[in-house]
Amino acid sequence: MEKRILNYEDLLDMLDHLLREPKQFWDGFYEDRTKDIPFFKVKGPDENLVEYFRNGLVAKKVLEIGCGPGRNAIYLAKKGCNVNAIDISDNAIKWAKERADEEAVKIDFRGVSLFEFEFEPHSYDFIYDSGMFHHLAPHRRLSYVDIVKKALKKDGHFGIVCFNTEGALDTPDWEVYREGSLKGGIGYTEERLKEIFEEDFIIKDFRRMKRIAQPDNIFGEDFLWVSLMQLKNS
C-alpha cells in the first residue's frame, strides 16, 4: 500500500527516500579503515576544537553529532567532559569504542540517527558536529537546527566543521532533488552557511580550517569551514 503524506514527518520521510539510504551508505563507508580518507589517518582532534578549549571554552556535558571513529569525542573526554557521541553507522561506533578503550576514556557512544536520538532537553553545554552537516539533505536542516537548539542549555555553544566550496560543489537545494543526489556533500559559501544559523545563534568565530601537515596529533584541512556559535537567548 502506498504511503500517504498526512503530517510533516511523512513529508520528511518521503523526501528522505528520494536520496540514498544513509545508514547503509555510512556503514559501507566505515567498513574499510585503510581507505585514503584524511580523517581516517589522524587519531587526534580538530585543530579548531583544541583552539576553543585553549581560549577558555567550558563544557561539562557535550554531545558530538556524527562522531565517526571518535577522534573528537576522545579529546573531549580527556578534557574532563561528560560525552555523548552519536553516529548512524554501527561500523563507525565500533571503531570509536575500540579507540576509546585504547585511550582508557569513558564515552557514551550510540549508533543512532540524530533525528531518532532521545535526549533530555536543554542539557548540553556544547554540541559539536565535525562533518555531518554537509552530508545533510536540505529538507532536514530545519529539524537539525531545532534539535541543536532544544538540546543546548541557555547560552550553550555549538561548533561546526563543514565543507566550503573547495571541499564540495555549491549544489543548489532544488538540484539535490532533481538529481536525486547530494553529490558527495554540499559545499557551502560563507553567506549560505551563516544564513542557516544566524537567526538563532551568535556567530563568535567563523573561518577556514587551518591545514595541518601530517603526521601530526591534530587534524586540519583548508577545504573546510569551522565556526563556534552561541545560542541566542529567546
Side-chain angles (χ1 to χ4, degrees), residues 47-58:
E47 60 85 8
N48 56 297
L49 186 61
V50 174
E51 182 179 276
Y52 299 155
F53 279 84
R54 185 181 296 138
N55 290 344
L57 179 67
V58 177

Side-chain angles (χ1 to χ4, degrees), residues 29 39 49 63-64 76 127 141 150 191 205 220-221 224:
F29 181 84
F39 66 88
L49 186 61
L63 171 64
E64 186 181 10
L76 290 161
I127 295 176
R141 289 190 202 125
K150 185 177 179 180
E191 178 184 17
D205 178 70
E221 292 287 354
L224 297 161

Side-chain angles (χ1 to χ4, degrees), residues 19-187:
L19 304 169
R20 70 187 179 204
E21 201 287 313
K23 178 171 174 51
Q24 181 180 357
F25 175 83
W26 290 110
D27 270 337
F29 181 84
Y30 283 107
E31 189 171 10
D32 179 5
R33 301 179 184 182
T34 66
K35 288 192 295 190
D36 189 23
I37 304 294
F39 66 88
F40 276 26
K41 301 175 182 179
V42 183
K43 287 189 175 182
D46 296 337
E47 60 85 8
N48 56 297
L49 186 61
V50 174
E51 182 179 276
Y52 299 155
F53 279 84
R54 185 181 296 138
N55 290 344
L57 179 67
V58 177
K60 293 181 180 179
K61 188 172 182 182
V62 176
L63 171 64
E64 186 181 10
I65 300 169
C67 65
R71 299 180 300 108
N72 294 304
I74 291 168
Y75 171 79
L76 290 161
K78 287 182 175 181
K79 298 300 289 185
C81 302
N82 177 3
V83 183
N84 297 141
I86 65 174
D87 200 288
I88 199 170
S89 168
D90 292 334
N91 287 333
I93 293 296
K94 181 181 178 182
W95 191 1
K97 286 180 176 178
E98 291 173 10
R99 284 183 166 181
D101 288 344
E102 290 172 3
E103 298 292 331
V105 293
K106 185 178 179 181
I107 298 168
D108 181 12
F109 287 110
R110 303 188 199 181
V112 64
S113 163
L114 172 66
F115 305 107
E116 298 173 355
F117 176 56
E118 296 182 359
F119 58 89
E120 180 184 347
H122 311 298
S123 59
Y124 293 101
D125 302 293
F126 180 50
I127 295 176
Y128 192 63
D129 173 358
S130 181
M132 175 185 157
F133 186 78
H134 52 231
H135 293 296
L136 196 66
H139 67 277
R140 285 291 182 177
R141 289 190 202 125
L142 294 176
S143 301
Y144 175 101
V145 173
D146 284 344
I147 290 169
V148 172
K149 287 164 55 183
K150 185 177 179 180
L152 279 175
K153 292 180 181 178
K154 180 182 177 182
D155 299 322
H157 285 84
F158 170 59
I160 190 169
V161 177
C162 178
F163 281 148
N164 58 38
T165 53
E166 293 177 19
L169 296 173
D170 181 18
T171 306
D173 290 346
W174 286 38
E175 186 175 334
V176 169
Y177 302 99
R178 283 194 294 264
E179 298 291 329
S181 174
L182 286 161
K183 300 180 180 179
I186 296 174

